[in-house]
Amino acid sequence: MMRPLFDITPLREDIESGTLILTPNNRLASKICQAWGMLQQQSGHDSWPKPNVDAIESWINELWLSCCDLGFSAAVSGTPVSTEMELLLWEQVIDEDSAKPATLLPENFSRQARNAYAIVQRWQIPDQCLQREAPMLWQWTESFREKLVKHRLITTTDKTIIVLKALVEGVLPQVGRIHLCGFDSLPPLYRTLLNTASRQLTESTIASGNHNARQAILYSEQQELETAAAWAVDRFKADPEARIGIIIPELPRLRSQIERLLYTRLQPQYNQPGQPRTAPPFNLSAGIALADTPPVAAALLLLGLNRPQLPLESICRILNSPFWGETNSTLRTNAETRLREKANPHPRCSEFRYQLARTEEAEGGEENHLSSRLEKVETLRREMPRSASYSQWLQLFKAQLDALGWPGERSLDSIEYQQLQHWHTLLEQYQRFDQLGITVELNQALRQLQQLAGGMVFQPETPDAPIQVLGLLEGSWLRFDHLWIMGMDDRRWPQPIAPNPLLPIALQRELSTPRSHPDHELQLAKAQLASFLRAAPEVVLSHSQFDGDQPLQPSELIAEIEALDDSELSSAGSLPVKFADLEPVSCEYGPPLNLQREQISGGTGIFKNQAGCPFNAFAIHRLGARQPPEPTLGLSSAERGNLVHDCLERLWRQLQNQQQLLALSDEALQLLISQTVAASMQSWRKERPELFGPAFALIEQQRLSDLLQQWLALEKIRPPFQISALENQVKTEYAGLPLHMTIDRIDQLDGGQRVIIDYKTGSASPNRWLGERPEEPQLPLYLLCSSEPVSALSFAQINASEQRFLGFADTIGLLPGIKSPGDKATEPASWEALIDQWQQVLSNLAEEFKSGYAAVQFHNQNTRQYQAYLEPLNRISEAVTGNNAEENDE
């Protein structure tokens, strides 16, 4: 049986005599009661009176309730205001101040104003002093008090003032004796209250004596966390009944990291699918914001659908959430793919509904369950007025979540159930905003709900555990068998000052308010450290040497404490590695391609990818590995290229030949270009209405017009030609592989020669057609699959820096700047030899692909760069690391 976390011996006489024992927080009060109960059990008692132990805020609240029961006029003058409602009142006060700086945002200063007012009340700053020293805060305070009176509300500190008044007037009786345990400091208001409430006030002190503490010097904060977790687990495994503590000064920030590290070492399979959640042998004192718990985070995300548009990642999170609608992973995945293909970083919610409905139609479902749920949400929103009360918005939110099927089909586990209960409590608090008698618009209603959920802390109910992970305040005055204290560097011990910006710092230092004076923080740090040093037989004080690239120094408070040897921590630095006997298996070849049993797609990309990296070609075209385009602000480079393609197709469908082009005057040509660009952009505006606004459309139209004007100038100096085909769709095969190709353009010259042209708005080079593994085999395949002879292949490079033709022809003069092959040593000697090379090379690549050849080998660095998303599959980084290691060994 684990011993209690509190040494009850010094308080035994006080508890037995009925002395009221007050603590700074509920945790310490509960640990004292727990220790007293264990002592009674050990003494053979079956039952015993509850000890008179309470947290100071709980005690004050009980006294205030007694004042209400007695009908004390000050107590019944108002109801306590919640934290979020108080912040909302401060926002109103600041927003209504016409004299405030123009750049001051009320929502950014409401919490500072609330904290400043709490200091004013608890440190009993007179109004005259406040008016003189902080006139802006005084004006806000006056307005805030008026609002409290108007809405019959009181603050938490007001309750303390009311209780003090009741004690002074004799409404409440005095307490015989009060003993304070665990307090480092007390505001003057609380000290006055305690002196008034008790005939005798005593206080626990830290016992002096020797300690057995040592310091651990680690490289980084991450290494600190890993080592502390490993150290705690080692001691737990050696003695499962031991009391082990880890004190982390910034526990809320590091909570998820230390939790993951402890789970990984104590329950390695905890995050595997299908694993039941069991209580781990550790407790964390820091809870998490209710807004960050999975079911509540999903609810808030779903209610975000009330906004016109959302970030793409938020919509994808909605699609992947199990907390709404019917479970259909294939449907949701396909809908996400559709949305990602659009590459719109902020799609409209209407587009989300539309794409989801299209996916459901494609899936062949008789009923559009998910999309109809979203439509219901939109219908409910449209039925609401522009402005409404908080309770009216709450009814909308509840109806929408019901329509979406939140919290999902599956049964909730015990922790999720607790989170759901907290959500219902939160909704009750949200409805109390109606006490303010105001109406708000939807965005404000959503923001307030988000803030309320972000401010409510969720701490799951878990049994006592050997390992306790605590913050500084929660760990004070507790006793352990082993204790590790993190973050003992000079930046945090003592804590730097952080005075309230709305009160003069000189006034705060004069009154010794929290975080206002370095001397006060130094004394507080010394007191805390003295308590921790004697909290366990084994104490480790750790600090990091670096925070990123910034060096850190140990706190001066631990400079004289002996450091641990590296060997004493070596076993705790990393997770144990278990090596298995592995058998090497060659993965150079996959199963041969069987077109009777599998379908492949990709067209000319099969040859391009097989030439670049055989494994990546296998993954893309046979396994279906692909990455949707990354969302971008504005048009992506691919979309800009498609716009140019579209404009050129529209132009040449009207012109048909060079003769028509030359016949146009400069003014007529400019008009034709403008009309063509406008028509093309009109179709794009339907696809991307949020992007093609008036300003952007004007800039893009000018860019395209200038680009087309420059390109057509080059088309005018070519030998005469006419258009034979535009965006020609070809379905064929080559070397046994099916091909679906779209040829940008085929021209026919007056001499009968056919020329294939491919538009490029980026960089281009015909050298990429050459070699045993050509980087760009697209145009050579166009030629080889052509039913008629082709006399020239060319890129049409069209961009702002340069417009030109790039390629090869069977004779000189077919296109400006295009020559026959053979000028360079790397080129075949003739057009016929070039075609023969392409036939041989591309046939070889086809045979490789059909045979299942899938070696992880990059034949050019461009392939690796542009297909980096496949590295989790091809694991090239591991291969490179392994090769380097072998080279180093040699």
Side-chain angles (χ1 to χ4, degrees):
M1 182 177 181
M2 292 182 293
R3 67 170 185 80
L5 281 167
F6 185 85
D7 181 8
I8 200 67
T9 305
L11 295 182
R12 185 168 182 172
E13 291 185 8
D14 287 323
I15 294 177
E16 290 174 344
S17 65
T19 297
L20 172 62
I21 298 172
L22 295 178
T23 65
N25 54 63
N26 289 318
R27 174 178 287 272
L28 183 56
S30 68
K31 297 305 178 187
I32 293 174
C33 291
Q34 183 185 60
W36 179 253
M38 293 180 71
L39 177 63
Q40 297 304 303
Q41 286 179 325
Q42 292 169 3
S43 302
H45 298 294
D46 294 326
S47 62
W48 54 89
K50 183 179 181 299
N52 197 8
V53 181
D54 210 347
I56 189 169
E57 295 291 350
S58 299
W59 174 68
I60 292 172
N61 188 62
E62 288 298 322
L63 291 179
W64 176 78
L65 290 174
S66 297
C67 291
C68 294
D69 293 341
L70 295 170
F72 186 50
S73 59
V76 297
S77 63
T79 57
V81 63
S82 67
T83 300
E84 292 304 322
M85 191 183 299
E86 188 176 357
L87 290 172
L88 182 56
L89 286 174
W90 279 111
E91 276 189 38
Q92 292 178 356
V93 165
I94 298 170
D95 189 49
E96 292 166 3
D97 181 12
S98 58
K100 70 178 183 298
T103 56
L104 190 149
L105 297 177
E107 58 269 27
N108 292 347
F109 272 81
S110 59
R111 194 170 297 276
Q112 296 285 6
R114 176 180 178 270
N115 294 341
Y117 185 58
I119 292 173
V120 168
Q121 288 190 299
R122 293 180 181 183
W123 269 260
Q124 300 174 307
I125 301 176
D127 283 355
Q128 299 85 348
C129 177
L130 186 64
Q131 184 177 8
R132 182 179 65 254
E133 300 289 344
M136 184 172 70
L137 179 62
W138 177 76
Q139 290 285 353
W140 292 354
T141 298
E142 289 294 289
S143 299
F144 178 71
R145 288 169 176 168
E146 290 174 4
K147 288 185 178 294
L148 290 177
V149 173
K150 175 183 176 182
H151 299 297
R152 295 183 56 81
L153 298 169
I154 59 173
T155 67
T156 301
T157 308
D158 284 334
K159 291 196 292 185
T160 306
I161 296 172
I162 292 168
V163 169
L164 176 59
K165 183 178 181 181
L167 287 165
V168 170
E169 295 182 9
V171 175
L172 292 176
Q174 274 190 313
V175 180
R177 183 166 179 256
I178 297 178
H179 182 84
L180 303 180
C181 180
F183 287 90
D184 294 316
S185 61
L186 271 173
L189 175 64
Y190 283 42
R191 182 68 66 179
T192 302
L193 173 66
L194 293 169
N195 287 328
T196 306
S198 65
R199 299 187 193 81
Q200 183 182 3
L201 184 65
T202 60
E203 196 164 350
S204 294
T205 57
I206 299 171
S208 59
N210 297 324
H211 61 79
N212 186 30
R214 291 191 291 173
Q215 61 170 301
I217 305 171
L218 286 309
Y219 180 79
S220 64
E221 183 178 75
Q222 181 61 32
Q223 191 183 26
E224 259 193 285
L225 287 167
E226 292 174 357
T227 309
W231 174 90
V233 171
D234 286 347
R235 276 139 187 82
F236 165 70
K237 290 180 177 179
D239 181 7
E241 299 298 321
R243 286 294 195 174
I244 304 158
I246 303 176
I247 306 293
I248 303 178
E250 298 181 25
L251 181 56
R253 178 175 65 85
L254 300 173
R255 183 189 192 280
S256 59
Q257 292 173 255
I258 190 66
E259 182 179 36
R260 176 180 57 80
L261 288 167
L262 289 171
Y263 262 122
T264 302
R265 290 181 175 274
L266 292 166
Q267 296 178 2
Q269 306 300 320
Y270 81 100
N271 60 350
Q272 297 298 316
Q275 288 292 320
R277 282 212 244 188
T278 58
F282 64 87
N283 289 150
L284 291 98
S285 67
I288 59 174
L290 188 63
D292 294 332
T293 60
V296 175
L300 296 172
L301 198 59
L302 290 167
L303 292 176
L305 292 169
N306 285 300
R307 297 188 171 94
Q309 61 189 78
L310 289 173
L312 177 61
E313 291 308 315
S314 295
I315 288 180
C316 292
R317 283 172 57 201
I318 289 174
L319 274 171
N320 290 313
S321 172
F323 292 104
W324 73 285
E326 296 74 25
T327 303
N328 188 334
S329 57
T330 302
L331 171 67
R332 294 180 185 230
T333 300
N334 292 338
E336 179 179 354
T337 301
R338 281 181 179 270
L339 284 162
R340 289 193 179 277
E341 289 288 353
K342 295 291 182 181
N344 185 350
H346 287 85
R348 300 183 68 82
C349 291
S350 57
E351 176 71 10
F352 173 34
R353 296 192 297 272
Y354 173 69
Q355 294 298 338
L356 185 55
R358 285 191 59 190
T359 307
E360 288 171 331
E361 291 172 6
E363 294 287 320
E366 296 181 1
E367 298 182 11
N368 299 338
H369 293 292
L370 295 180
S371 61
S372 62
R373 288 181 183 277
L374 296 181
E375 289 293 346
K376 178 63 174 176
V377 168
E378 178 63 12
T379 300
L380 290 168
R381 184 192 66 81
R382 289 174 180 170
E383 292 173 354
M384 289 292 293
R386 182 179 181 85
S387 182
S389 67
Y390 283 101
S391 58
Q392 288 174 310
W393 289 121
L394 180 58
Q395 293 308 310
L396 169 69
F397 299 155
K398 286 181 176 179
Q400 288 179 322
L401 291 176
D402 288 342
L404 289 166
W406 180 86
E409 294 180 323
R410 67 180 181 83
S411 299
L412 301 179
D413 61 33
S414 61
I415 292 180
E416 290 170 338
Y417 181 78
Q418 292 177 47
Q419 292 163 352
L420 199 62
Q421 298 308 304
H422 276 66
W423 169 257
H424 293 315
T425 302
L426 177 142
L427 296 185
E428 292 176 7
Q429 294 184 15
Y430 184 80
Q431 196 163 358
R432 293 174 192 164
F433 285 131
D434 278 355
Q435 288 180 258
L436 303 181
I438 60 174
T439 61
V440 294
E441 295 185 0
L442 177 58
N443 280 339
Q444 172 66 9
L446 283 171
R447 183 172 74 88
Q448 209 61 50
L449 183 64
Q450 179 74 47
Q451 287 184 350
L452 195 60
M456 180 176 283
V457 176
F458 171 74
Q459 182 74 10
E461 296 176 7
T462 55
D464 195 13
I467 300 175
Q468 299 285 322
V469 183
L470 308 160
L472 279 178
L473 297 180
E474 296 89 350
S476 294
W477 294 80
L478 299 182
R479 296 294 178 264
F480 305 89
D481 297 307
H482 312 278
L483 178 64
W484 184 295
I485 306 166
M486 278 185 55
M488 297 295 299
D489 57 74
D490 57 353
R491 292 193 312 184
R492 284 174 284 199
W493 285 84
Q495 288 194 64
I497 64 170
N500 189 289
L502 297 179
L503 286 166
I505 188 170
L507 178 63
Q508 294 183 68
R509 288 185 172 180
E510 178 185 344
L511 298 173
S512 296
T513 61
R515 306 289 298 277
S516 64
H517 202 293
D519 290 344
H520 179 267
E521 295 305 313
L522 177 61
Q523 296 305 316
L524 183 61
K526 287 181 177 179
Q528 289 176 327
L529 182 59
S531 173
F532 287 137
L533 290 177
R534 292 164 182 83
E538 180 189 22
V539 178
V540 178
L541 309 168
S542 69
H543 64 88
S544 307
Q545 293 177 302
F546 292 93
D547 178 11
D549 58 354
Q550 298 295 316
L552 298 176
Q553 297 296 325
S555 170
E556 290 292 332
L557 301 179
I558 65 170
E560 302 301 322
I561 295 177
E562 179 186 356
L564 285 166
D565 293 333
D566 291 341
S567 60
E568 297 179 78
L569 295 173
S570 59
S571 64
S574 59
L575 288 172
V577 179
K578 295 182 179 179
F579 294 98
D581 293 331
L582 301 178
E583 177 185 355
V585 176
S586 174
C587 298
E588 190 175 35
Y589 280 86
L593 177 65
N594 185 341
L595 291 174
Q596 301 300 318
R597 297 173 56 186
E598 63 179 297
Q599 292 183 343
I600 61 170
S601 60
T604 60
I606 296 173
F607 295 83
K608 176 180 179 178
N609 292 324
Q610 186 71 23
C613 175
F615 178 88
N616 285 6
F618 188 94
I620 293 169
H621 302 288
R622 295 187 63 184
L623 301 182
R626 56 192 298 270
Q627 183 184 43
E630 287 293 325
T632 58
L633 294 175
L635 292 173
S636 67
S637 56
E639 288 172 324
R640 290 181 182 277
N642 290 338
L643 256 175
V644 172
H645 275 63
D646 188 47
C647 290
L648 285 168
E649 181 189 0
R650 291 171 184 269
L651 270 174
W652 285 113
R653 287 200 184 279
Q654 294 186 64
L655 293 172
Q656 290 297 317
N657 55 53
Q658 187 193 51
Q659 183 179 357
Q660 293 276 25
L661 172 63
L662 295 173
L664 291 175
S665 65
D666 291 344
E667 293 78 10
L669 179 59
Q670 184 60 52
L671 178 61
L672 175 61
I673 290 174
S674 297
Q675 292 173 342
T676 301
V677 171
S680 179
M681 290 182 61
Q682 181 62 32
S683 64
W684 279 74
R685 188 177 286 111
K686 294 178 181 178
E687 291 289 327
R688 300 288 298 274
E690 79 290 343
L691 179 60
F692 280 86
F696 179 85
L698 181 63
I699 294 172
E700 191 62 22
Q701 179 151 2
Q702 185 63 52
R703 182 188 76 87
L704 290 168
S705 297
D706 292 346
L707 203 58
L708 295 178
Q709 190 79 33
Q710 295 173 41
W711 176 250
L712 292 178
L714 182 60
E715 297 271 28
K716 289 180 179 181
I717 64 173
R718 288 178 53 189
F721 66 90
Q722 63 181 3
I723 303 298
S724 176
L726 290 170
E727 300 296 325
N728 188 35
Q729 302 285 333
V730 178
K731 185 177 181 180
T732 183
E733 69 170 41
Y734 183 79
L737 292 178
L739 294 181
H740 299 271
M741 304 182 296
T742 302
I743 303 174
D744 289 347
R745 178 172 150 191
I746 303 175
D747 289 357
Q748 183 166 333
L749 307 185
D750 280 359
Q753 301 96 329
R754 290 169 62 82
V755 176
I756 294 179
I757 296 173
D758 189 62
Y759 299 130
K760 287 288 184 183
T761 54
S763 62
S765 171
N767 291 331
R768 296 176 183 172
W769 303 341
L770 306 177
E772 294 296 318
R773 309 191 81 86
E775 295 180 46
E776 296 284 352
Q778 183 178 4
L779 265 74
L781 281 166
Y782 290 171
L783 180 147
L784 295 175
C785 294
S786 176
S787 58
E788 299 184 44
V790 176
S791 299
L793 288 180
S794 178
F795 287 130
Q797 186 176 21
I798 310 171
N799 55 49
S801 60
E802 192 170 12
Q803 294 80 37
R804 57 178 176 168
F805 289 100
L806 295 163
F808 296 111
D810 61 0
T811 56
I812 297 174
L814 298 185
L815 287 170
I818 301 298
K819 299 180 180 180
S820 299
D823 284 357
K824 300 178 181 178
T826 56
E827 300 172 359
S830 66
W831 178 251
E832 291 74 16
L834 179 60
I835 295 175
D836 289 342
Q837 185 189 81
W838 285 339
Q839 286 178 327
Q840 182 63 43
V841 165
L842 294 175
S843 295
N844 291 342
L845 290 174
E847 291 305 318
E848 279 188 9
F849 183 80
K850 290 188 293 182
S851 70
Y853 179 65
V856 182
Q857 184 176 1
F858 288 91
H859 296 278
N860 63 76
Q861 288 306 307
N862 287 336
T863 301
R864 182 173 180 183
Q865 177 184 349
Y866 293 125
Q867 295 179 352
Y869 67 93
L870 288 172
E871 290 195 6
L873 278 176
N874 61 45
R875 298 166 68 178
I876 185 63
S877 298
E878 298 176 34
V880 170
T881 302
N883 292 338
N884 290 343
E886 292 174 6
E887 292 172 6
N888 292 337
D889 290 342
E890 293 174 2

